[in-house]
Amino acid sequence: MMGNYVQTTTSYSRFRALVYRTLHRPYLATCLISYCVIALMVVFYLQLPPKYSSDFDMVLPGTGANSNVSLDDVGQVVSSTSAPFGKGYNPRVNYKEMLMSRNLLESAATALELDTKTFGRPKVRLTEQTSILNVEISASSAKLAEQKAWALFNALQNQLEFLRADEVARRDDSIKAVLDQYRERLNIARNNITDFQQRSLLVSTDQLTQHIATLANLKEQIVMMNAEIGRSEYYVSQLSVDLGVSPSMAGQAFALQSDGEFRNILI
């Protein structure tokens, strides 16, 4: 004798049956899981606060500058400034490192009264085959993003001005050191000239010219005296030959001949 059974279903049993049927259909399960993941990502993205970005481009000089000034009867001045891109390195990389440096970010954040973490780090992109440098920074509002971009640009300009001033100061110090050496050598030369003037009793240029003229006259007189001595020696030697005596006796006779007192006795 067979009995009759009555089975009742509940909500939980129907849910279990639905899950069981779903798990036995892999494609449907995969689609449901993917849909849930996408829905969670969309919800999470919608919960994020909005972000705004501001960017600017910097164009570095790509060619050098040449100038040529020529004045009649004065001279010619040529000035040439070569581009930094042709010396084996790219200056845009230096600018990028400066924009990403901690000191520059701290300076920009201080200008807006923010800390470095809140200010964030900019994105710097180098455009290939150009001299363009793109800088982008994000913020929670459009106005703050623009203020961050200007603060970053002003901080970079201040850093460049500081580096230029430091380079000029270093060059000035180097030039001053060279000028000090030349000045020291000039003072030594002046002291030597003064010492020479004191030892030689020379005071002015006219006096030096006069001394040079005197020395020239003395040299001319010495040449004339040497010539006169040569003629006298020749005359004495010729007289010794004519008289048949020694050159010393001929010299004595020549000296007596020129003596006025001896000539008076002979008369």
Side-chain angles (χ1 to χ4, degrees), residues 26-116:
Y27 295 105
L28 180 60
T30 303
C31 291
L32 290 175
I33 294 173
S34 301
Y35 175 79
C36 293
V37 171
I38 294 174
L40 290 175
M41 292 178 61
V42 170
V43 172
F44 178 76
Y45 178 77
L46 293 176
Q47 295 298 324
L48 293 175
K51 287 187 178 182
Y52 300 86
S53 62
S54 179
D55 66 320
F56 60 91
D57 294 328
M58 297 178 58
V59 181
L60 304 181
T63 58
N66 298 320
S67 60
N68 190 346
V69 179
S70 179
L71 300 176
D72 295 339
D73 300 331
V74 175
Q76 184 178 9
V77 177
V78 178
S79 176
S80 177
T81 303
S82 60
F85 294 92
K87 296 183 179 180
Y89 69 94
N90 192 345
R92 297 181 303 164
V93 179
N94 296 342
Y95 280 83
K96 179 180 178 180
E97 295 299 327
M98 290 176 62
L99 287 167
M100 303 293 291
S101 65
R102 184 179 61 183
N103 294 335
L104 192 141
L105 294 178
E106 289 179 353
S107 178
T110 303
L112 297 179
E113 298 181 356
L114 300 174
D115 56 3
T116 307

Side-chain angles (χ1 to χ4, degrees), residues 160-249:
L160 292 176
E161 290 294 334
F162 173 78
L163 294 176
R164 293 190 187 102
D166 182 70
E167 180 68 19
V168 171
R170 290 177 182 273
R171 290 185 179 182
D172 289 343
D173 293 339
S174 178
I175 294 174
K176 288 179 180 179
V178 174
L179 291 178
D180 289 338
Q181 294 179 359
Y182 286 145
R183 189 178 294 107
E184 183 179 358
R185 294 178 181 177
L186 180 61
N187 291 332
I188 293 174
R190 287 179 176 175
N191 293 332
N192 292 334
I193 292 174
T194 303
D195 182 66
F196 172 75
Q197 289 178 348
Q198 292 177 354
R199 287 186 291 103
S200 59
L201 300 178
L202 294 178
V203 179
S204 62
T205 306
D206 295 337
Q207 188 176 2
L208 178 62
T209 304
Q210 184 179 359
H211 278 277
I212 293 175
T214 304
L215 289 175
N217 293 332
L218 291 176
K219 289 182 179 180
E220 185 178 356
Q221 293 178 7
I222 290 173
V223 172
M224 294 178 63
M225 292 296 296
N226 289 332
E228 187 67 25
I229 291 172
R231 287 195 299 269
S232 299
E233 290 179 350
Y234 176 77
Y235 179 77
V236 170
S237 62
Q238 189 64 33
L239 183 62
S240 65
V241 173
D242 295 338
L243 297 176
V245 296
S246 63
S248 60
M249 293 183 65

